Amino acid sequence: HFTRGKLSIAISTHGASPLLAKDIKKELSEIYDERYSQFLDFLDDSRELIKSASLSKEEKWDYLSQCIDKRFLDPRKQTQTLIELRDLVKKGAVKDERTHG
């Protein structure tokens, strides 16, 4: 079992081969390196912004689907995208509880 921030991955062979489980854990920990901690924070922030926007269900799905692309492992791309999403929310694409209530 290992974690990268909000990402948690468990590996088990149910006792058949602890050595294989150890090897798999090592491989996965190299694939899902420390960048994934920040990536999950980015995904969490993006999801909250997208959920608060007055977008159709399909548009929200499209935004969420785009955010999981590996290019967002780049912190600069994360920052740029969060700025764009905040701008989207600010420009009136926010649910107004008084009218959508």
Side-chain angles (χ1 to χ4, degrees), residues 65-76:
S65 297
Q66 290 177 39
C67 285
I68 63 170
D69 190 283
K70 298 288 190 259
R71 71 178 182 253
F72 291 106
L73 287 168
D74 179 347
R76 293 171 297 182

Side-chain angles (χ1 to χ4, degrees), residues 42-60:
F42 160 75
L43 290 174
D44 191 31
D45 293 343
S46 297
R47 183 173 180 266
E48 289 304 314
L49 288 166
I50 293 165
K51 281 175 40 180
S52 72
S54 289
L55 300 169
S56 71
K57 195 178 213 180
E58 293 78 20
E59 289 170 314
K60 288 180 182 185

Side-chain angles (χ1 to χ4, degrees), residues 3-84:
T3 59
R4 297 287 186 255
K6 295 177 181 175
L7 176 65
S8 178
I9 299 176
I11 300 98
S12 173
T13 60
H14 295 281
S17 180
L19 288 175
L20 178 60
K22 183 178 178 181
D23 284 350
I24 292 170
K25 177 183 175 183
K26 183 177 181 228
E27 288 177 31
L28 289 174
S29 68
E30 290 170 3
I31 294 168
Y32 298 101
D33 59 24
E34 293 301 325
R35 297 174 300 162
Y36 277 81
S37 179
Q38 184 173 351
F39 184 44
L40 264 289
D41 289 339
F42 160 75
L43 290 174
D44 191 31
D45 293 343
S46 297
R47 183 173 180 266
E48 289 304 314
L49 288 166
I50 293 165
K51 281 175 40 180
S52 72
S54 289
L55 300 169
S56 71
K57 195 178 213 180
E58 293 78 20
E59 289 170 314
K60 288 180 182 185
W61 182 259
D62 188 46
Y63 275 107
L64 291 168
S65 297
Q66 290 177 39
C67 285
I68 63 170
D69 190 283
K70 298 288 190 259
R71 71 178 182 253
F72 291 106
L73 287 168
D74 179 347
R76 293 171 297 182
K77 186 68 176 164
Q78 294 172 16
T79 301
Q80 175 188 357
T81 300
L82 288 172
I83 290 169
E84 291 169 5

